[in-house]
Amino acid sequence: MLFSREIGIDLGTSNTIVSDRKGHIIIREPSVVAVDVKSKRVLATGNEAKKMIGRTPGSIVAVRPITAGVIADFDMTADMLHDFINRSSKRSMFTKTKVVVSVPSSVTEVERRAVEDAVRSAGAQEVELVEAPMAAALGAGLPVYEATGSMIVDIGGGTCDIAVLSLGGIAASKSIKMGGNAFDEAIINYIKRNHNLLVGENTAEDVKIKIGSAKEYDGEAAMEVRGRNLTDGLPGSVELTSADVRTILEDCVTAIVIAIKETLEVTLPELASDIIDRGIYLTGGESKLRGLREVIEEEIGIPVISPENPEDCVAKGTSVKLKRAANGAK
């Protein structure tokens, strides 16, 4: 007799989140793998591997195998997923594993197949793919299977996926390579260009979380940022303010607003009317940037709603798909 275990995976550029069928988050770890270059052996995954970024000797490389929501390194992705799946629950030779995994709405058929193959290589017998905005909408509790329009803006580490959903399908969508990694890269480039200081991605992420914003907020602050001076190669530091970081991220925020406007422009009038009534739902870890919701609301002129724990919506949506499949629904 085969026992079945069912898990949902939000396979993100920055983080991978694994949930069970009840929607409980089992694993939430960075999508990072540390590899020994000489032996090609995986030394660590997730949190342990992320700590190694920028701090490893030449023989060890810490890499992100997912780029802009798609697989950049198949073997490393499979190894990472294998570790996460094994850690998610006890497994025996009599266990059948079913996985629902999210993919960006813009992925090609080849990229979809790569994700499916990677999940199967990690030990799953049955794999179902769900587009990230659909999963996010399900996780946010939107009525996506009804004859009414729902709009989701899911901002992750690598992509911003925007979709208008109705009757269980996507009526209009747009995906841009704009997310947390682009925010971090903008901070790194600004410090390098204006202060001749090289900082790592972990430092840039820290700046974004601590003082980053899309508009002015109460309690704005400044922080010391440390890195390597590109002139003499010695350690150096610079002070950044909340206003500095807001200016740095302005182009990124504008790109997201433009993409939302472009999606609304190709949305059927009846569905657009529903969205005006219901509002735009903002999900994904990067949607938590201070003031982003308010800026989108001001620019678009439609209410913007942020669900509780927006970073978990896609993972919870994969759990909803698991439940529907178990009940015989698509």
Side-chain angles (χ1 to χ4, degrees):
M1 177 183 175
L2 278 177
F3 295 98
S4 175
R5 66 170 177 172
E6 298 174 327
I7 56 175
I9 300 177
D10 173 8
L11 186 60
T13 302
S14 297
N15 297 291
T16 295
I17 304 175
V18 181
S19 63
D20 63 15
R21 204 171 98 183
K22 294 179 180 176
H24 300 137
I25 305 300
I26 310 166
I27 289 173
R28 184 202 310 278
E29 298 216 5
S31 303
V32 182
V33 179
V35 183
D36 186 310
V37 177
K38 294 173 184 173
S39 66
K40 302 292 183 186
R41 188 168 62 91
V42 172
L43 302 176
T45 62
N47 287 320
E48 196 180 338
K50 188 177 181 182
K51 290 174 187 173
M52 298 180 182
I53 291 179
R55 292 188 169 91
T56 57
S59 60
I60 300 172
V61 181
V63 296
R64 295 186 182 275
I66 311 289
T67 303
V70 298
I71 293 175
D73 189 301
F74 181 88
D75 292 333
M76 285 190 195
T77 301
D79 286 337
M80 180 182 75
L81 286 170
H82 188 271
D83 185 36
F84 290 161
I85 289 172
N86 279 350
R87 283 158 52 191
S88 67
S89 64
K90 290 180 181 177
R91 185 187 179 198
S92 73
M93 61 186 294
F94 302 110
T95 303
K96 178 185 175 184
T97 304
K98 177 177 179 178
V99 175
V100 171
V101 59
S102 67
V103 293
S105 57
S106 60
V107 293
T108 64
E109 198 55 46
V110 171
E111 289 164 344
R112 289 175 72 93
R113 203 155 43 242
V115 172
E116 186 174 338
D117 290 345
V119 177
R120 288 189 187 278
S121 295
Q125 284 78 40
E126 199 175 333
V127 181
E128 182 182 351
L129 304 184
V130 58
E131 290 176 325
M134 174 62 78
L138 288 169
L142 292 175
V144 297
Y145 294 103
E146 294 178 14
T148 183
S150 300
M151 188 172 199
I152 200 91
V153 178
D154 182 58
I155 311 172
T159 60
C160 171
D161 282 313
I162 304 158
V164 175
L165 307 148
S166 179
L167 289 171
I170 294 178
S173 69
K174 190 173 185 68
S175 182
I176 59 171
K177 291 180 181 178
M178 181 58 65
N181 290 355
F183 295 172
D184 297 344
E185 200 174 308
I187 293 169
I188 291 168
N189 291 338
Y190 174 88
I191 296 171
K192 183 179 178 181
R193 188 172 59 248
N194 292 276
H195 300 285
N196 215 31
L197 196 71
L198 187 64
V199 300
E201 59 180 77
N202 287 349
T203 299
E205 184 181 27
D206 201 35
V207 169
K208 176 185 66 184
I209 292 168
K210 288 182 177 174
I211 61 171
S213 69
K215 67 178 296 183
E216 289 184 41
Y217 65 96
D218 292 335
E220 291 199 355
M223 70 179 283
E224 183 187 32
V225 182
R226 297 174 183 175
R228 176 165 59 84
N229 191 297
L230 290 168
T231 304
D232 55 21
L234 297 174
S237 66
V238 65
E239 185 178 82
L240 286 184
T241 65
S242 297
D244 290 332
V245 182
R246 188 160 52 252
T247 301
I248 294 167
L249 299 179
E250 190 175 341
D251 287 348
C252 299
V253 172
T254 300
I256 291 169
V257 170
I258 290 170
I260 295 170
K261 286 180 178 178
E262 289 174 349
T263 307
L264 284 167
E265 283 169 6
V266 296
T267 300
L268 292 170
E270 290 81 2
L271 297 180
S273 175
D274 294 335
I275 293 163
I276 291 169
D277 292 339
R278 182 170 286 113
I280 297 168
Y281 278 72
L282 194 59
T283 63
E286 298 304 323
S287 71
K288 295 167 80 173
L289 179 71
R290 293 177 192 85
L292 181 59
R293 183 183 67 80
E294 291 82 359
V295 168
I296 294 172
E297 199 167 82
E298 289 167 9
E299 292 291 328
I300 305 294
I302 296 173
V304 177
I305 299 101
S306 291
E308 192 177 355
N309 302 319
E311 69 274 21
D312 293 342
C313 285
V314 172
K316 288 183 176 178
T318 61
S319 299
V320 174
K321 285 291 283 184
L322 284 168
K323 280 187 213 164
R324 287 182 62 83
N327 295 330
K330 288 187 179 180

